[in-house]
């Protein structure tokens, strides 16, 4: 009898201590791979977790990119955001964030600001803003911004950007109102040095969020534990598929991810194969269609290339944008264009290919 009572007691404590583990569904991994590289991730091009950010009401914002060991830019320089909540609902966001993520911050008005730095242009910073972690807007920054560090400061209704060079402690700061910073053409004002010592930055964080990151940089898996509930979220830092089977086997939960726009189709490059790559905007049967394309991309008119392609009964017109020696460079540029032209049907259907 005592043995039975001991067994029941241990079982009860075990059930109390056990955690409900939320895994990333295979469907979500497939969607990320399709969005980043237009095919399932392989050992040569793996899906890689990069950063996280706490959102309100026990939600997490995660960022993923592709890792290609032998590529010119191994980390791909493109990030795709994903959200997951405490109920196990995963959603791949239809947005691209360019370059290496440096910092993510909340502002006092419940907005999210994301700072990135280019791996190709040393010290070149970019800034993104979102209200809901789904729609991302690229902020136009002051023209002189080749600095190693960027500090965001929210003071009352102003946004202050402080840039600094590490090697010589050169500091410059620009300020504008919150609403003006979100406008297409903000009027940043260069601050005087004496103003820098008077700023008081307001710090805010997500409310009602109990997630704690328990894994470290040497872990092979990412693990979040909830501070107040017996729930965890886990997934591999890197993953790939072999013959449709994922290398890291996990117990999937039902996926609630919404359909996303398929990634640009990338022409695969054979070993040692060389050529000039470009971004194909479209193929048109009538020459009269071309002025509409030229008008939409008038800002990039110097990079537009039109090729006439004879067919059996007529001539087709293919429009390309810019040229690249490396397919990864072209892919990165297309991701940037998707952020710059989020509502363009032409950009949504554009893809990377060799220039004929």
């Amino acid at each position: 009898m005592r043995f039975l009572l001991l067994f029941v007691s241990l079982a009860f404590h075990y059930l109390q201590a056990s955690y409900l583990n939320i895994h990333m569904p295979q469907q979500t991994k497939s969607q990320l791979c399709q969005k980043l590289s237009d095919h399932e991730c392989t050992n040569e091009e793996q899906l890689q977790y990069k950063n996280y950010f706490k959102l309100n009401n026990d939600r997490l914002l995660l960022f993923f990119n592709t890792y290609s060991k032998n590529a010119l830019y191994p980390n791909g320089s493109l990030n795709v955001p994903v959200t997951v909540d405490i109920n196990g609902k995963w959603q791949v966001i239809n947005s691209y964030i360019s370059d290496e993520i440096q910092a993510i911050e909340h502002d006092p008005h419940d907005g999210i600001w994301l700072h990135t730095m280019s791996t190709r242009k040393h010290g070149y910073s970019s800034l993104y803003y979102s209200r809901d972690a789904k729609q991302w807007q690229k902020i136009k920054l002051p023209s002189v911004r080749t600095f190693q560090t960027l500090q965001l400061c929210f003071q009352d209704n102003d946004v202050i950007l402080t840039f600094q060079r590490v090697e010589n402690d050169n500091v410059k700061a620009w300020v504008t109102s919150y609403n003006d910073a979100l406008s297409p053409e903000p009027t940043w004002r260069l601050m005087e040095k004496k103003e820098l010592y008077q700023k008081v930055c307001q710090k805010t964080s997500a409310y009602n969020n109990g997630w704690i990151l328990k894994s470290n940089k040497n872990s092979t898996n990412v693990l979040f534990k909830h501070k107040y509930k017996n729930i965890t979220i886990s997934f591999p830092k890197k993953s790939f598929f072999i013959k449709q089977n994922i290398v890291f086997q996990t117990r999937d939960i039902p996926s609630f991810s919404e359909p996303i726009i398929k990634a640009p189709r990338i022409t695969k490059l054979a070993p040692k194969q060389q050529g000039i790559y470009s971004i194909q905007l479209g193929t048109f049967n009538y020459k009269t269609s071309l002025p509409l394309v030229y008008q939409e991309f008038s800002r990039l008119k110097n990079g537009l290339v039109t090729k006439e392609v004879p067919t059996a009964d007529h001539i087709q017109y293919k429009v390309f944008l810019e040229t690249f020696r490396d397919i990864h460079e072209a892919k990165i540029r297309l991701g940037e264009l998707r952020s710059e032209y989020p509502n363009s049907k032409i950009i949504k259907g554009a893809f990377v290919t060799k220039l004929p």
Side-chain angles (χ1 to χ4, degrees):
M1 185 66 179
R2 290 181 179 178
F3 176 80
L4 180 60
L5 290 174
L6 178 62
F7 175 79
V8 172
S9 177
L10 289 174
F12 176 77
H13 287 294
Y14 173 78
L15 289 174
Q16 276 194 318
S18 63
Y19 280 81
L20 171 64
N21 193 4
I22 299 174
H23 294 285
M24 179 187 289
Q26 183 169 326
Q27 180 184 351
T28 301
K29 298 174 185 177
S30 296
Q31 287 179 330
L32 281 166
C33 292
Q34 289 287 339
K35 191 166 178 61
L36 286 163
S37 57
D38 195 39
H39 53 71
E40 295 286 14
C41 294
T42 64
N43 189 31
E44 289 74 28
E45 192 170 19
Q46 302 180 25
L47 180 65
Q48 178 178 247
Y49 159 80
K50 289 298 292 182
N51 300 82
Y52 83 97
F53 185 68
K54 292 183 180 181
L55 299 174
N56 297 334
N57 298 319
D58 279 331
R59 293 189 304 143
L60 287 175
L61 175 63
L62 310 172
F63 291 91
F64 292 84
N65 63 11
T66 53
Y67 174 78
S68 304
K69 182 179 180 180
N70 299 320
L72 180 62
Y73 301 101
N75 289 319
S77 294
L78 279 181
N79 303 276
V80 172
V82 176
T83 60
V84 57
D85 64 20
I86 199 167
N87 297 314
K89 179 181 178 181
W90 295 78
Q91 183 179 9
V92 178
I93 306 303
N94 190 32
S95 298
Y96 290 96
I97 303 297
S98 302
D99 302 322
E100 288 285 339
I101 297 174
Q102 303 296 309
I104 313 174
E105 296 186 33
H106 263 124
D107 67 35
H109 308 282
D110 209 26
I112 305 169
W113 298 73
L114 191 154
H115 168 221
T116 68
M117 185 173 290
S118 175
T119 54
R120 297 169 295 151
K121 302 176 182 178
H122 183 64
Y124 189 92
S125 293
S126 296
L127 192 61
Y128 295 85
Y129 169 85
S130 178
R131 187 74 179 178
D132 57 5
K134 296 179 180 180
Q135 299 294 326
W136 290 90
Q137 170 190 350
K138 193 171 186 179
I139 302 297
K140 187 172 183 180
L141 299 181
S143 57
V144 182
R145 50 193 169 97
T146 54
F147 289 74
Q148 282 84 358
T149 65
L150 166 61
Q151 180 190 23
L152 269 169
C153 177
F154 305 102
Q155 181 176 271
D156 297 327
N157 289 319
D158 288 339
V159 178
I160 301 174
L161 306 180
T162 303
F163 296 87
Q164 180 176 356
R165 291 186 185 276
V166 176
E167 67 273 11
N168 57 12
D169 293 329
N170 185 17
V171 178
K172 288 186 178 181
W174 284 262
V175 61
T176 191
S177 68
Y178 186 89
N179 290 332
D180 184 64
L182 302 179
S183 67
E185 296 290 337
T187 54
W188 295 102
R189 177 180 65 83
L190 183 62
M191 299 178 68
E192 297 182 10
K193 285 189 176 180
K194 63 180 182 180
E195 294 181 272
L196 297 178
Y197 302 102
Q198 299 172 355
K199 67 178 184 179
V200 179
C201 302
Q202 298 169 265
K203 298 290 185 180
T204 57
S205 57
Y207 62 81
N208 189 28
N209 192 306
W211 292 112
I212 301 175
L213 179 65
K214 303 298 291 187
S215 53
N216 56 51
K217 63 179 181 179
N218 297 321
S219 304
T220 58
N221 290 290
V222 180
L223 176 65
F224 292 92
K225 284 187 177 181
H226 199 277
K227 189 175 181 180
Y228 307 108
K229 301 177 181 179
N230 289 350
I231 302 177
T232 62
I233 295 176
S234 66
F235 50 87
K237 281 188 177 178
K238 293 180 181 178
S239 59
F240 58 93
F241 294 82
I242 297 178
K243 296 181 180 180
Q244 305 301 319
N245 293 322
I246 191 164
V247 171
F248 301 94
Q249 297 294 331
T250 58
R251 179 176 61 84
D252 290 344
I253 64 173
S255 173
F256 299 88
S257 299
E258 297 178 359
I260 61 172
I261 298 173
K262 195 174 182 181
R265 183 161 302 279
I266 309 298
T267 303
K268 292 184 178 180
L269 178 62
K272 298 184 179 180
Q273 189 176 1
Q274 295 182 348
I276 297 178
Y277 295 89
S278 186
I279 299 171
Q280 183 168 327
L281 299 179
T283 301
F284 305 91
N285 292 323
Y286 303 100
K287 197 171 184 178
T288 53
S289 302
L290 300 182
L292 295 176
V293 182
Y294 299 155
Q295 181 180 357
E296 182 173 350
F297 301 97
S298 59
R299 184 171 61 85
L300 307 172
K301 62 182 179 180
N302 293 333
L304 291 171
V305 178
T306 303
K307 296 282 186 178
E308 294 185 0
V309 181
T311 62
D313 53 356
H314 67 286
I315 294 178
Q316 288 185 330
Y317 301 90
K318 293 187 176 183
V319 181
F320 301 86
L321 179 62
E322 302 175 1
T323 57
F324 311 85
R325 285 288 179 184
D326 183 85
I327 191 171
H328 296 285
E329 280 275 5
K331 180 180 172 183
I332 291 168
R333 178 58 177 144
L334 180 54
E336 293 174 347
L337 291 170
R338 289 184 183 276
S339 296
E340 295 173 18
Y341 295 87
N343 300 318
S344 172
K345 293 182 179 180
I346 292 179
I347 290 296
K348 286 180 180 178
F351 58 94
V352 173
T353 185
K354 279 192 172 182
L355 190 66

